[in-house]
Amino acid sequence: MHSCVCLVALVALGAAGCAAQPRGRILGGQEANAHSYPYMASVQVNGTHVCGGTLVDERWVLSAAHCMDGVTSDDILQVLLGAHSLSKPEPSKQLHDVQSVVRHPGSGPDRIEDDIALLKLTQNVSLGPYVSPLPLQDEVRDLAPGTLCDVAGWGVVSHAGRRPDVLQKLTVPIMDRNTCNLRVHHDGAVTQNMICTESHRRDSCRGDSGGPLVCGDVVEGIVAWGSRVCGNRRRPGVYTSVSTYKDWIKNAMNDDLTG
Ligand code: ARG
């Protein structure tokens, strides 16, 4: 809470005080062109956005396992598709109930590994220009450092935790894993199943988790973890690498016997 809000009292400091506080924002982020990410999902618990997700086919949404931490069968779990604004009525919106969650067994509340989950919807979505799936990256190889990828989400846009109403997007460069694992960065915590992006003033943040990292025309990563103070260059953004989980994803979608 030590953001610009507190500085309001110190009017003498002027606007520069705020301008010098870029941390914690999805910096460099901007409002997405409405419906330019038709696979983008808002995962909602009891009517509130908690995480992002990616529509991967008519019935399934890919997200992060940690998005499901603390969610119980008493909660109403839904997925909003075709949205730009979370609050305004939009004819393109489809709100779907989640029938079942397949969480990666290697994930856990205190773990950063295997941060991937699949949400099965109760009904097929109706596909169209505003709601359409994004293919998974199925080639297992590291992207060249510097490759530009897009991340989108309704996660917080200020250090104070301000939530945007409309979808935000950001373009971020891939960071090489060895660099990311240097002591000054994530000190060896980043496994082969994770992808890093540079986080200098531009970063995903709280509420973006589960959403897609899109490189080219495929979902390459899932927003997973990073700096608690988003936008800290020393703590790159970390994404679950989708291609390394392609077999798990395919099996989860096929083995699902819940109907
Ligand atoms: N874990 C966070 C979430 O629940 C977002 C992680 C991304 N953080 C970052 N600094 N890139 O939404």
Side-chain angles (χ1 to χ4, degrees):
M1 276 295 157
H2 51 286
S3 67
C4 298
V5 181
C6 314
L7 290 177
V8 168
L10 306 171
V11 186
L13 282 177
C18 284
Q21 285 235 327
R23 288 178 155 199
R25 289 196 57 153
I26 302 186
L27 264 188
Q30 52 187 259
E31 180 174 346
N33 286 330
H35 310 295
S36 53
Y37 299 91
Y39 43 80
M40 186 72 212
S42 160
V43 176
Q44 309 203 333
V45 176
N46 303 323
T48 302
H49 170 89
V50 294
C51 270
T54 308
L55 185 70
V56 293
D57 78 4
E58 288 175 301
R59 203 63 178 258
W60 292 91
V61 171
L62 183 67
S63 189
H66 82 258
C67 292
M68 297 297 120
D69 288 350
V71 177
T72 72
S73 52
D74 292 339
D75 293 310
I76 301 166
L77 184 58
Q78 291 169 311
V79 169
L80 179 64
L81 294 159
H84 182 57
S85 158
L86 289 178
S87 69
K88 297 198 181 76
E90 293 170 339
S92 54
K93 277 185 178 177
Q94 295 180 31
L95 185 62
H96 289 269
D97 291 326
V98 173
Q99 175 179 307
S100 55
V101 176
V102 189
R103 188 179 167 139
H104 195 291
S107 67
D110 303 315
R111 292 172 56 81
I112 56 171
E113 283 80 17
D114 305 324
D115 198 356
I116 182 169
L118 279 160
L119 278 51
K120 186 180 193 184
L121 309 178
T122 51
Q123 287 179 331
N124 284 5
V125 305
S126 88
L127 299 178
Y130 302 116
V131 175
S132 78
L134 185 66
L136 303 164
Q137 172 63 275
D138 64 3
E139 203 184 321
V140 184
R141 46 119 188 76
D142 288 334
L143 289 177
T147 302
L148 296 179
C149 301
D150 273 4
V151 55
W154 288 275
V156 300
V157 294
S158 80
H159 191 191
R162 190 167 72 81
R163 296 151 170 268
D165 182 54
V166 295
L167 186 64
Q168 306 290 308
K169 67 142 291 201
L170 173 70
T171 301
V172 279
I174 297 289
M175 178 188 262
D176 139 82
R177 188 179 297 104
N178 291 333
T179 308
C180 193
N181 268 325
L182 293 177
R183 188 123 178 243
V184 290
H185 295 308
H186 287 306
D187 198 14
V190 177
T191 71
Q192 295 290 328
N193 304 336
M194 301 173 192
I195 300 167
C196 295
T197 63
E198 287 175 27
S199 52
H200 185 41
R201 292 167 177 241
R202 299 169 183 247
D203 194 7
S204 46
C205 204
R206 188 159 40 85
D208 289 321
S209 282
L213 179 71
V214 184
C215 312
D217 294 319
V218 293
V219 50
E220 187 80 38
I222 302 168
V223 181
W225 56 283
S227 179
R228 247 170 294 130
V229 181
C230 312
N232 176 354
R233 70 192 312 171
R234 290 170 61 103
R235 298 277 174 267
V238 186
Y239 299 74
T240 304
S241 167
V242 167
S243 63
T244 58
Y245 291 97
K246 65 183 180 184
D247 292 338
W248 180 82
I249 293 171
K250 278 172 191 147
N251 288 334
M253 288 168 62
N254 288 333
D255 293 358
D256 183 81
L257 299 172
T258 53

